[in-house]
Amino acid sequence: MSIRRLPEHLINRIAAGEVVERPASALKELVENSIDAGARRIAVSLAAGGVERIEVSDDGRGMTPEEMALACERHATSKLPDDDIDSVATLGFRGEAIPSIASVARMTLESRPRGADGWARTIDNGVLAREGPAALPPGTRVVVEGLFARVPARRKFLRSTRSEYAACLDVVRRLAMARPDIAFTLEHDGRRALAATQAEDRPGRVALLTDRALAENSVAVDLEREGVVLGGVAGLPTFHRGVADHQYLFVNGRPVKDRLLIGAIRGAYAEMMPRDRHAVVALFLDVPPDQVDVNVHPAKTEVRFRDPAMIRGMIVSGIRRALDGAGHRVSNRPAEDALAMWRSEPVAPVERQETIWASAPVPTISLADRRPTFNAPPPQARAEPAWAPPPERVDHPLGVARGQVAKTYIVAEAEDGLVIVDQHAAHERLVLERMRRALAGGQVASQALLIPEVVELDEPACDRLEARIAELAELGLELERFGPRAILVRATPALLGSGDPAGLVTDLADELAAFDEALSLRERLDAVAGTMACHGSIRAGRVLSVAEMNALLREMEVTPHSGQCNHGRPTWVKLAHGDIEKLFGRK
């Protein structure tokens, strides 16, 4: 078979395979064109998830008839005036979207510059079908109908209408998030699905398009380094999701899905969030054009940085600094299903003499767990006489201790509600932060054991610990090899108090098994220190005095990240006055 030049219509269809993967791909290209045209209002209308119809209208600059004809040709664009592809400042620049879409659908392009007449041009699957004058306001309107209708091999691979609509909605949501200065509307099958006004600020736009609760459960990220600016919002570690779909990343206003950036986010939340949960973030990176390459993917969803290590470190530092400033804050509203477990239910009356009140129902309040295996322990609570008047609630965000329940939970009264603290989880975080501060100041103080303890392990575990003896000593844990299958513990970190050295060393051996040999313990400090802190914290089942409970609350208020334990679980929740009133039917 001899080599030949492909015909133009086939070239366009091949290009469409790279650029137009599904309706959401076509919609992304059209909305990006509207943004690049300087639009301040963009309206999107979909039918059948965008498969049957996509309409994008804007109030941008518009095009003359000559420019419209040129825009329908491949590699024709107005976005590279000086041929410098290394300094792209627009979302699009290849000039492939319009001809690629027109080659696999019926596309009507209508446009009108300000002070001129409108013009329309219809291309049916790569063939010019009609052109002539059109009546429309200044701007551009593009209508795409029957996507892949004449390419059954591509059409049959499209997903359900609901799935295609969800992908289109995500595209518009991300582009709207990147440009809070532009008003966006989206309608699907005649129903308004999204409306974002032009006057919103960036945090407000992010909260509107993700979760309105994010505004109350997030911190602002703001960092500048070497000409790179990082901004946005980061959800608190206790405000998380089961999938990573709520992580929005933008580079120079361009929505991207970059593995480097996603990995940096996971690193920033390491040891503050369960491993199977994902943070809710929206990060905006402004990078000099010569420091980033956006021409590495046909759909322009991936980028390549000149200094990826600096960008990753910047994201980790920016998020952690913001979370450090959050202090003890936590996503503290109890889940709706947890509140629903509190309910009023009748109980069988005890045998007693008949009275005039015998027919009255006897309600009681109980905490019902719908899991069949749940066996609640008998209620346990204690109180002490207050020899000194308790401190004023208004001075302390976490309130003042009022008692202890089940020897595990501290109950405190705050100015705006009832606070319940998991004493083990809270103290675990406090011990970890103390160890971090001590290590930053040099070396963690150790406490020698009166009688060194021998811990028996298998030989590979002993080998792993022996290889890290010097590094563990910096953390206050002094170990010595004691035969092929034993380790001698001579001292433990003083911060941990009198704990269980054997359990600590056993857990550390398991933790080290998951490490890369090339990594130092300082690079995995959070994991190692977290394991140590877990062993040195107040255990559930320990009775605390009122003074000890208040001391724990005060330290939580001034300690970073005290809103979640080392495993990412919340350390405290709050029942607001309104929630309590709902439980009693007052609201």
Side-chain angles (χ1 to χ4, degrees):
M1 183 179 295
S2 60
I3 298 176
R4 68 184 182 94
R5 291 184 180 276
L6 297 178
E8 187 68 19
H9 72 279
L10 187 55
I11 293 174
N12 285 336
R13 285 198 174 183
I14 293 174
E18 296 179 342
V19 179
V20 188
E21 179 185 357
R22 58 194 305 188
S25 307
L27 177 60
K28 173 180 176 292
E29 299 291 343
L30 297 177
V31 175
E32 286 182 350
N33 282 341
S34 296
I35 294 174
D36 290 339
R40 285 294 170 262
R41 285 182 174 81
I42 299 176
V44 178
S45 177
L46 305 174
V51 178
E52 297 301 330
R53 180 183 173 89
I54 300 173
E55 180 178 336
V56 178
S57 303
D58 65 61
D59 61 351
R61 287 187 289 271
M63 295 178 286
T64 63
E66 294 77 15
E67 290 173 330
M68 292 172 63
L70 196 57
C72 294
E73 297 182 8
R74 294 187 70 235
H75 302 305
T77 181
S78 62
K79 301 169 187 179
L80 290 174
D82 53 1
D83 299 338
D84 187 4
I85 199 171
D86 295 325
S87 301
V88 176
T90 54
L91 297 178
F93 55 88
R94 289 199 179 100
E96 289 184 317
I98 295 296
S100 297
I101 296 171
S103 67
V104 291
R106 180 180 177 88
M107 187 185 75
T108 300
L109 177 64
E110 301 175 336
S111 190
R112 175 191 167 194
R114 283 171 175 76
D117 296 330
W119 192 260
R121 187 179 179 90
T122 300
I123 302 176
D124 190 355
N125 289 271
V127 179
L128 180 62
R130 186 187 66 84
E131 67 174 331
L136 72 160
T140 301
R141 179 168 60 236
V142 182
V143 179
V144 178
E145 299 172 295
L147 187 66
F148 300 133
R150 298 186 187 177
V151 191
R154 295 291 305 278
R155 182 108 173 185
K156 70 180 181 181
F157 282 102
L158 294 180
R159 303 180 68 181
S160 66
T161 298
R162 183 174 298 178
S163 297
E164 297 299 343
Y165 163 66
C168 290
L169 179 61
D170 184 65
V171 163
V172 177
R173 181 185 289 123
R174 291 176 184 272
L175 290 170
M177 205 176 294
R179 295 297 300 266
D181 57 321
I182 301 177
F184 286 82
T185 60
L186 170 64
E187 292 185 357
H188 181 238
D189 291 336
R191 180 181 61 87
R192 177 68 60 88
L194 181 148
T197 61
Q198 189 175 353
E200 295 163 337
D201 57 1
R202 181 175 282 174
R205 175 65 68 88
V206 170
L208 171 69
L209 297 174
T210 54
D211 187 336
R212 291 190 180 275
L214 181 64
E216 300 175 356
N217 296 289
S218 63
V219 292
V221 179
D222 188 10
L223 184 64
E224 184 173 357
R225 182 184 299 170
E226 299 181 19
V228 179
V229 179
L230 173 66
V233 295
L236 296 175
T238 48
F239 187 78
H240 44 63
R241 294 289 185 271
V243 293
D245 291 351
H246 298 270
Q247 294 179 355
Y248 302 93
L249 307 171
F250 305 88
V251 177
N252 294 343
R254 182 189 309 278
V256 298
K257 295 181 179 179
D258 190 84
R259 292 182 180 178
L260 171 73
L261 304 182
I262 294 172
I265 292 172
R266 181 161 290 279
Y269 282 91
E271 309 306 327
M272 288 189 286
M273 186 176 295
R275 294 183 179 180
D276 60 341
R277 307 297 291 179
H278 302 271
V280 179
V281 299
L283 297 180
F284 301 84
L285 267 172
D286 292 324
V287 186
D290 60 341
Q291 299 294 317
V292 59
D293 184 5
V294 299
N295 190 27
V296 296
H297 190 276
K300 304 180 290 295
T301 56
E302 297 179 8
V303 295
R304 184 179 294 121
F305 297 100
R306 178 168 293 181
D307 189 354
M310 190 272 287
I311 297 296
R312 186 187 189 281
M314 189 173 178
I315 291 175
V316 174
S317 299
I319 293 178
R320 290 204 168 180
R321 286 185 189 179
L323 294 177
D324 286 345
H328 68 278
R329 281 183 62 197
V330 64
S331 176
N332 52 34
R333 179 175 175 81
E336 292 297 332
D337 55 351
L339 280 177
M341 292 179 184
W342 290 87
R343 66 178 189 269
S344 177
E345 61 181 11
V347 296
V350 297
E351 293 293 332
R352 63 185 187 279
Q353 295 182 350
E354 291 294 327
T355 68
I356 59 174
W357 309 106
S359 59
V362 182
T364 183
I365 300 297
S366 67
L367 178 61
D369 194 314
R370 297 185 177 90
R371 294 172 294 183
T373 58
F374 180 79
N375 294 311
Q380 302 179 51
R382 58 187 298 276
E384 291 183 354
W387 299 108
E392 290 294 329
R393 293 168 299 173
V394 69
D395 297 335
H396 305 296
L398 292 182
V400 293
R402 298 303 188 197
Q404 186 182 24
V405 178
K407 299 180 183 179
T408 303
Y409 303 102
I410 298 171
V411 180
E413 183 182 2
E415 180 71 15
D416 54 349
L418 188 69
V419 176
I420 304 175
V421 180
D422 183 336
Q423 65 188 39
H424 172 67
H427 195 247
E428 188 178 352
R429 169 58 69 177
L430 298 182
V431 172
L432 174 60
E433 296 300 330
R434 289 179 202 160
M435 293 190 69
R436 283 176 172 170
R437 290 195 297 270
L439 192 60
Q443 185 170 344
V444 178
S446 61
Q447 178 178 340
L449 300 181
L450 183 62
I451 301 176
E453 185 162 343
V454 178
V455 182
E456 294 185 355
L457 301 166
D458 60 17
E459 193 167 352
C462 292
D463 293 339
R464 288 192 294 269
L465 288 169
E466 185 180 19
R468 307 282 188 167
I469 281 179
E471 294 174 280
L472 288 171
E474 295 181 10
L475 294 172
L477 182 63
E478 296 182 11
L479 304 179
E480 183 180 319
R481 188 69 179 259
F482 196 70
R485 299 186 178 184
I487 290 288
L488 190 68
V489 184
R490 294 194 173 276
T492 58
L495 289 171
L496 304 187
S498 57
D500 176 17
L504 171 61
V505 171
T506 302
D507 286 353
L508 279 177
D510 293 339
E511 192 79 36
L512 291 174
F515 285 9
D516 185 340
E517 291 295 328
L519 292 177
S520 69
L521 285 191
R522 283 185 175 271
E523 293 176 286
R524 296 301 305 265
L525 171 64
D526 286 336
V528 175
T531 301
M532 290 184 172
C534 187
H535 282 267
S537 59
I538 296 173
R539 290 293 180 180
R542 175 179 165 184
V543 176
L544 302 178
S545 67
V546 172
E548 288 175 322
M549 289 187 278
N550 278 318
L552 185 67
L553 295 175
R554 301 293 80 79
E555 188 173 357
M556 288 177 63
E557 291 169 350
V558 297
T559 301
H561 315 305
S562 63
Q564 60 279 330
C565 74
N566 309 342
H567 311 291
R569 296 186 294 269
T571 59
W572 62 277
V573 295
K574 179 181 288 183
L575 275 172
H577 288 154
D579 295 326
I580 299 174
E581 289 174 349
K582 286 180 182 178
L583 293 176
F584 288 94
R586 289 178 175 267
K587 244 186 179 182

